[in-house]
Every structure is written in structure tokens, then in C-alpha cells.
Amino acid sequence: LSSVLKLSKKTFDPVARIGETVTYGGTVMADGQPLAGALVTFHPKAKDGHMGASGLTDASGKYTLKTYIGEGKTKDGVVPGRYNVTVSRMVDKDGKVVPYDPNTPPMADPSVHEQIPLKYSAPNDMGPYTEVQGAGNYDFEVSLKDEA
């Protein structure tokens, strides 16, 4: 006797897995000036099954977050929760900003380096932190002078 199993194919819905997001953004200043061309990332403090959210700053230092949901897709906003916040901006040897490209590792070019001190550019308990409870803004300032 042969048995035939029917397998139902469940469709994976990454948006449903992430949950509801809220609109969130803000402004990043560096030493009193808008920080353009920087990647702002919200890293979840709890392991909530999502990868956080990020946004690029424009010429006025403003950013709007999008949550990564997998397979190269994003969802506008951020899931409410507690986050360490980082800001990163890569520059070349002449100090020119290297535009963020999610498909190209920035360190692939040895002439490119991080302009923002580690206190702000790596997730840690010394840098910016926020708790997202609803739609809103998180404005903050960084110093480009290394405070080692």
C-alpha cells in the first residue's frame, strides 16, 4: 500500500510576522550642523524576531524609518519597542561622503572608513537609546570628534 500525503503550502507573510509599525523619524545633527548622507539604525534591545529599522538622512539631517521584513523588502515605520540607535556615515580618503548602498559592503574599498565615532556608530549602551511607544520623532546630536 502506498500512502499519499497532501502537504498544504502555507504562504509566509513577513509583514504579519513583524506586526504593526508606527511612523517614526527625526533629525540628526553633528556638531550643530545637519548630518546628511548618514544611515540611522534602530537596533532592538529585545530579541523580538525582527531586525530593527533604518533610514537615511537627507540634506537637512532628517530621516524616516523603514523596518526590514526579509527578502529585500521593507515596511514603513518601526515596531514599538526599546532600541539602541546608531548613526553611520562612510567617507573616502578625501572626506567625501560615500552614498549608502545596501548591496555593496562599504569596507570592500580600503579607502573608505567610518566617519562617526564608535560611541554612535556601533550598538552599545553608551550611545543613543530610545523607546518607541507610538508614532513620533527621535532627534539627536552626535560629535564627529572622537571622545576616546
Side-chain angles (χ1 to χ4, degrees):
L1 288 174
S2 75
S3 299
V4 177
L5 295 176
K6 282 191 174 183
L7 299 176
S8 66
K9 183 178 179 184
K10 276 192 167 180
T11 304
F12 174 69
D13 183 0
V15 175
R17 182 182 63 86
I18 295 297
E20 291 303 312
T21 57
V22 295
T23 302
Y24 218 79
T27 303
V28 182
M29 304 292 281
D31 301 318
Q33 300 297 315
L35 184 65
L39 178 66
V40 177
T41 305
F42 279 41
H43 304 271
K45 286 187 77 79
K47 300 294 182 207
D48 294 329
H50 61 88
M51 298 186 63
S54 62
L56 289 173
T57 59
D58 63 16
S60 62
K62 294 189 182 305
Y63 66 94
T64 302
L65 293 176
K66 292 181 180 268
T67 296
Y68 178 75
I69 59 173
E71 299 177 5
K73 298 178 183 170
T74 60
K75 180 178 178 181
D76 289 345
V78 62
V79 175
R82 298 178 304 137
Y83 293 90
N84 283 347
V85 180
T86 60
V87 60
S88 173
R89 184 166 78 170
M90 305 305 285
V91 294
D92 65 18
K93 62 183 169 83
D94 298 320
K96 181 180 172 200
V97 175
V98 176
Y100 172 73
D101 179 356
N103 300 314
T104 304
M107 297 305 178
D109 181 346
S111 69
V112 172
H113 68 276
E114 176 63 66
Q115 183 183 35
I116 311 295
L118 278 174
K119 173 180 178 181
Y120 307 107
S121 62
N124 63 72
D125 292 328
M126 297 174 6
Y129 160 84
T130 192
E131 184 167 351
V132 175
Q133 296 180 344
N137 290 326
Y138 181 66
D139 301 333
F140 63 103
E141 179 144 356
V142 300
S143 174
L144 298 182
K145 298 165 187 70
D146 195 352
E147 301 168 3

